[in-house]
Amino acid sequence: GNSVTQMEGPVTLSEEAFLTINCTYTATGYPSLFWYVQYPGEGLQLLLKATKADDKGSNKGFEATYRKETTSFHLEKGSVQVSDSAVYFCALRMDSSYKLIFGSGTRLLVRP
Amino acid sequence: DAGITQSPRHKVTETGTPVTLRCHQTENHRYMYWYRQDPGHGLRLIHYSYGVKDTDKGEVSDGYSVSRSKTEDFLLTLESATSSQTSVYFCATDGGASNQPQHFGDGTRLSIL
């Protein structure tokens, strides 16, 4: 079946470090891909999305490129801030489907 | 955001009692969802609704029921709560297009003792 695999956390970085959170997917078809962020005590917020191969989603300095050949959607940011500390979820949604399939989440901790 | 309000935000109750969680949306979205979030599992879909009185099961529906009598309200009921249902519950909504994101409420933290 369709699934999403994320790297295990927590990821601990110093402020201004480069961030990569890996996400790979398995899907029978061509899904739309999403990154969500969850700050402590809050719900999930959409961070970025990409709906077809080679699309790049970007928001708030974060980027992710939809790579069909490697079935990946890795999240990157050039210089993280303390305020980026949160849990990040990769998710996919198949065409004509209600279902959003999540990875298990990766906790990011950024130290000053 | 999408104007999603969950109530209560926190609840502690005892095993065997009934519990109802409410989700209210102001965006007139057709689809509404209930998820539970547990460590190491991400979010798992409990039930969803694709219109008034139209609901269906998700991947972890045992022990839960839902109702949707109005577009804006989606209720999740635990008929007889068990400790395994201790979790954080999230409601989400969307218009139904697969390339569009779901919008989430702030969650209900439910503890069953």
Side-chain angles (χ1 to χ4, degrees), chain B residues 70-113:
Chain B
K70 298 185 290 185
T71 298
E72 57 266 35
D73 290 327
F74 192 33
L75 304 181
L76 176 71
T77 297
L78 291 66
E79 300 289 350
S80 178
T82 68
S83 58
S84 65
Q85 294 176 310
T86 292
S87 187
V88 181
Y89 291 84
F90 288 98
C91 175
T93 74
D94 69 48
S98 59
N99 62 354
Q100 295 301 311
Q102 292 179 5
H103 303 273
F104 287 80
D106 286 337
T108 294
R109 184 172 295 276
L110 178 62
S111 297
I112 300 165
L113 308 178

Side-chain angles (χ1 to χ4, degrees), chain A residues 4 6 23 25 31-37 44-51 57 64 66 72-75 88-95 97-103, chain B residues 94 97-104:
Chain A
V4 175
Q6 288 182 238
C23 171
Y25 67 89
S32 293
L33 300 173
F34 305 87
W35 276 103
Y36 283 85
V37 58
L44 278 68
Q45 303 173 24
L46 178 70
L47 184 58
L48 52 84
K49 71 172 186 177
T51 59
Y66 189 142
S72 64
F73 192 53
H74 304 321
L75 183 68
Y88 293 82
F89 291 92
C90 185
L92 71 81
R93 193 171 186 183
M94 300 304 298
D95 203 17
S97 172
Y98 66 89
K99 193 171 181 179
L100 194 60
I101 298 170
F102 288 91
Chain B
D94 69 48
S98 59
N99 62 354
Q100 295 301 311
Q102 292 179 5
H103 303 273
F104 287 80

